[in-house]
Every structure is written in C-alpha cells, then in structure tokens.
Amino acid sequence: MKTKAVRLYGKDDLRLEEFELPAIKDDEILARVVSDSICMSSYKAAHQGTDHKRVPDDVAEHPVIIGHEFAGEIVEVGAKWASAFQPGDKFSIQPAMNDPRGPVGIYSAPGYSYQYIGGDATYVVIPKEVMENGCLLPFKGEGFYPASLSEPLSCVIGAMHANYHGTPGKYVHTMEIKDGGKMALLASVGPMGLAAINYVLHREDRKPGVLVVTDINQERLDRAASLYTVEFARSRGIELHYVNTGVENPVELLKGFSGGTGYDDVFCFAPVAPVVEQADDILAFDGCLNFFAGPSKAPFKAPFNFYNVHYNNTHVVGTSGGNTDDMKEALHYMGKGMDPAGLVTHIGGLNAVMETTLNLPNIPGGKKLIYTHIEMPLTAIADFGKAGKPVYDRLDAICKAHNGLWSVEAEEYLLAHSDEL
C-alpha cells in the first residue's frame, strides 16, 4: 500500500513524499492515520536531526516519519494480534515505549525513530513492540482529535504524578501533588499549560485548594479564563486566579495569592531562566518545583536557592512525557466529558506539516491540528470566516456554536467536505 508522509532526513530537512509501505508481518498492524497534533518536540527533532536522542544516526539513508500525537483506525491486523484488535478499531498510541529493541534503543518512539510509523502520514505500519508494550491504546470516544490530544495531556498528567513531598521527621517521600494544597502554574497558558489547567479542574482523586495560573500576555490569560472559568473551578472546590506577572515585583504578587506561605506545587511551563527563578522564589516549605518545559539547548541553567533546599526542604523534579498509564488516564477523563478542544487553535492538512513544524515557535496560538488525508493550508480557527469559501464559512459557524472551539461536529464536517477546500 502507498502512503504519503512527511519524513525527516536530517537537520531542517523534511520532505513530503509518497512511497510504498512493506506488507505487514504476522506481528504487525496496518493503520490509517486520521489526525495528528504538532508538538514542539517534533520541532526540536526536525532542527536537531541526529543530535536528538530519539532520531537514528542513519536517518539520511533511512528517513523517519515525524509526528507522535496521532489517532486513526486499524485497517489490517497481523495474525498474532487478531484476537486483540479488529479492523475499524479506533486508536491512539503511546510513543515513548522505552523498548531497547527499537531503532535507537530505549529512546525509540513512533514519530521520531521509525521508517514506517509516525503521525504525519496517511497510512502506517505499527511495529510489534508497540503492541507488546501495551502502547496501542483503543479509543472508544467520538471523533479522532481527542485521541490525538491524549498524548500531550498524558504529559501533564505524568508531571502531576511525579511531584513529591516529604514527611516531617521521616525519610519518606510521598509521590503526587499535595491534596488541598496551593499550586502555581507559571507561564502556563500555552497548549501544555491549558492542558494542565483542564486536567487539574477535572481530576477526581485529588486537587489543590488554590490554583494560580500566570503569564505576561493578558490576551492569552483572558482566553484561558474564558475556557476554564473561575466559576467552574469553584464548583470543583478550587480557588482559581489568573495572574499577569508582567509587573515590578511578581514574586510578592504571587505570594499574596498564597496567603504569604508560598506554594506546595509549582510547575514551570517555559524554559526561561527568570521564570525558573521565580518558581523557586515562591516555593513553600517542602515545596516541589516541577520543571516541565524542555529546553532546546543542553547548557540551559538557572539560579536555585540552596539555603531553602537545606532549611525549607524545597526540591525540584523534571518530567519529559507521560507513560502508558497516563495516556489511559487521559482517555478515561475524555470519556467522562473532558474536552481537550481548548488546546487547538489551528487546523491544516498534510501539506502544511513541513512549514508548520519548522516554524512552530513563531506561529502564535495553541495546538496545530493536522488531518493527514486532506490538503489545507494551516488556518487559525478564528480566521475561518475570512477565507471566503463556503466550506470555511460553515466551519466558522460550527466553531462559533461551540464557544469558538474545534469540535467533533467540525471535524466530521471537514472530513466530509475536504474536497471543497
């Protein structure tokens, strides 16, 4: 079967190509990709090439398909998996498998490391290690885009689970955010920050009593506040504040919202040294700083107060992606009505992937959602009404009926009328 895919050949070398997929083996699965959301991690891989830990050294001779936040449906199942999967099943994939048999060992991941599987393709061959590691995840919900966004949501879920706190007088670390505590999400109204807010407000087993969300862009703060409202947070037992930290003394401002104690859990969503330093400055006793944002370059450093490490038991953790259980948790909450559409600000076709990926930091807004079987320029949802074509006008009307957000209704209409774009 032929596939169209965006493949990585080296640093800044992406190519949209059509080529033949090999016939599947008994331990493989053929799948049709429907949607993929573009991640900053793909931007890093595209610019770093073989310097990236997940990209094979021989990528120039054996290019890999990019994209790892994807969803689709199964087309053909190898004999080994016939009792577990069926043609027509919808799926999402946990890309971070940590399987040493992959092309780059434990760092191997669909979307970075494989010739025949990645999200920015029409059809893919799912290798055996994906199934053997339990990383091919059924999706029972409506549409496809929620399953694509389960991967980024799993990253923030994993971050919450990775935080920890001590027990006074004992050498015991208790994993997780502090239930009923005070939490700050810094520089957190980009896509991943919005995912974190959404998760915190919908989580069932534990939650903070106070949640402070910061940024220096008031327009982005206002959008976040309109999507995840103070009133809804209150109904969940959470005191929520959106705070612009572009002021003379942001640390003093933020400590005020904590009642002067500082925060038990602080998440830093920007690899910016002053933001990391600010996060350190607002930690409470036994406070945990989670450095979530991945720097693009290895020498990144920021000051950290080791007086407080010694006397106030402050500490730092870092997370990079979620695991399979985190993705299952994401799919669970989506099945219970948590819609990730607030993350999405742009829609495009496979033809838009290369330019979007290589220029991702310079494109404003949130997640860029790609539908791989259509041709469509990357278009902001807010600009649908300006395109001057009936199909865009209808998409505009559908999105406005959904509070300006993407939706299953919009997805179904786009897929049914893509020839009219």
Side-chain angles (χ1 to χ4, degrees):
M1 174 176 283
K2 287 188 180 296
T3 186
K4 286 185 178 180
V6 176
R7 296 199 285 183
L8 175 67
Y9 282 79
K11 292 182 180 180
D12 301 324
D13 188 356
L14 294 177
R15 306 178 197 177
L16 175 57
E17 301 174 317
E18 185 175 42
F19 55 95
E20 194 76 27
L21 288 174
I24 65 166
K25 302 173 185 175
D26 285 346
D27 56 4
E28 296 177 331
I29 289 176
L30 177 68
R32 177 178 182 266
V33 179
V34 175
S35 61
D36 178 66
S37 62
I38 298 180
C39 178
M40 275 296 294
S41 295
S42 293
Y43 163 81
K44 294 172 188 174
H47 284 286
Q48 293 173 12
T50 56
D51 291 339
H52 194 284
K53 288 183 178 181
R54 297 188 185 277
V55 175
D57 290 338
D58 64 349
V59 70
E61 294 78 32
H62 300 98
V64 297
I65 302 175
I66 66 166
H68 60 277
E69 298 179 357
F70 61 105
E73 56 189 2
I74 291 172
V75 175
E76 183 181 348
V77 181
K80 180 176 179 179
W81 309 108
S83 62
F85 302 99
Q86 300 296 320
D89 287 351
K90 294 198 294 185
F91 69 88
S92 182
I93 281 183
Q94 162 58 265
M97 296 183 301
N98 296 324
D99 191 318
R101 296 171 299 172
V104 289
I106 63 169
Y107 289 108
S108 292
Y112 300 91
S113 316
Y114 289 87
Q115 289 182 262
Y116 302 122
I117 182 173
D120 292 314
T122 53
Y123 292 90
V124 297
V125 174
I126 306 176
K128 62 181 180 180
E129 51 263 39
V130 172
M131 285 72 77
E132 290 174 354
N133 282 277
C135 293
L136 180 59
L137 304 178
F139 176 60
K140 304 296 185 182
E142 295 185 348
F144 289 92
Y145 78 87
S148 282
L149 296 172
S150 65
E151 197 282 333
L153 182 57
S154 77
C155 297
V156 299
I157 290 173
M160 299 285 168
H161 294 332
N163 267 32
Y164 70 93
H165 298 280
T167 303
K170 297 181 180 179
Y171 302 112
V172 177
H173 288 156
T174 302
M175 301 303 297
E176 270 291 0
I177 64 168
K178 186 173 182 180
D179 194 22
K182 298 169 183 177
M183 178 186 291
L185 308 178
L186 304 188
S188 60
V189 291
M192 299 308 294
L194 293 177
I197 300 166
N198 199 6
Y199 173 65
V200 170
L201 296 186
H202 283 88
R203 192 173 177 185
E204 298 166 338
D205 56 334
R206 63 175 58 224
K207 56 182 179 256
V210 174
L211 173 63
V212 172
V213 175
T214 82
D215 203 81
I216 57 173
N217 184 314
Q218 191 60 47
E219 182 178 352
R220 286 171 24 125
L221 280 168
D222 291 342
R223 180 176 184 269
S226 71
L227 297 175
Y228 311 112
T229 67
V230 170
E231 292 74 21
F232 178 71
R234 188 180 299 118
S235 75
R236 303 287 295 165
I238 299 172
E239 178 187 321
L240 172 60
H241 302 276
Y242 289 95
V243 180
N244 191 320
T245 50
V247 297
E248 185 175 347
N249 194 336
V251 170
E252 182 179 343
L253 175 66
L254 291 174
K255 281 191 173 179
F257 286 102
S258 74
T261 63
Y263 296 84
D264 304 294
D265 297 283
V266 179
F267 293 81
C268 180
F269 282 86
V272 178
V275 179
V276 178
E277 191 171 2
Q278 183 183 104
D280 178 29
D281 288 341
I282 64 172
L283 287 172
F285 182 87
D286 190 35
C288 186
L289 191 167
N290 189 305
F291 182 61
F292 182 88
S296 296
K297 298 182 180 179
F300 179 83
K301 296 180 181 180
F304 200 77
N305 189 323
F306 281 89
Y307 180 94
N308 288 338
V309 170
H310 187 84
Y311 290 105
N312 289 334
N313 293 350
T314 59
H315 43 275
V316 61
V317 299
T319 51
S320 178
N323 62 25
T324 304
D325 287 338
D326 298 327
M327 278 194 71
K328 290 178 179 178
E329 186 175 348
L331 293 168
H332 163 78
Y333 281 114
M334 289 177 189
K336 300 194 73 173
M338 187 180 75
D339 189 348
L343 280 68
V344 180
T345 58
H346 293 68
I347 306 296
L350 191 62
N351 57 301
V353 169
M354 291 186 295
E355 183 178 357
T356 301
T357 301
L358 292 172
N359 296 285
L360 193 57
N362 302 317
I363 305 173
K367 276 289 184 183
K368 284 66 184 176
L369 182 64
I370 298 297
Y371 287 94
T372 63
H373 285 262
I374 69 173
E375 288 193 8
M376 177 183 180
L378 187 72
T379 307
I381 292 172
D383 291 341
F384 281 163
K386 304 173 185 177
K389 292 184 179 181
V391 66
Y392 285 100
D393 290 340
R394 180 58 186 153
L395 285 171
D396 183 57
I398 293 172
C399 291
K400 285 179 177 175
H402 290 270
N403 195 30
L405 302 179
W406 195 241
S407 63
V408 171
E409 182 183 1
E411 177 180 271
E412 290 176 346
Y413 181 83
L414 174 66
L415 294 176
H417 296 83
S418 59
D419 290 343
E420 302 173 29
L421 288 168

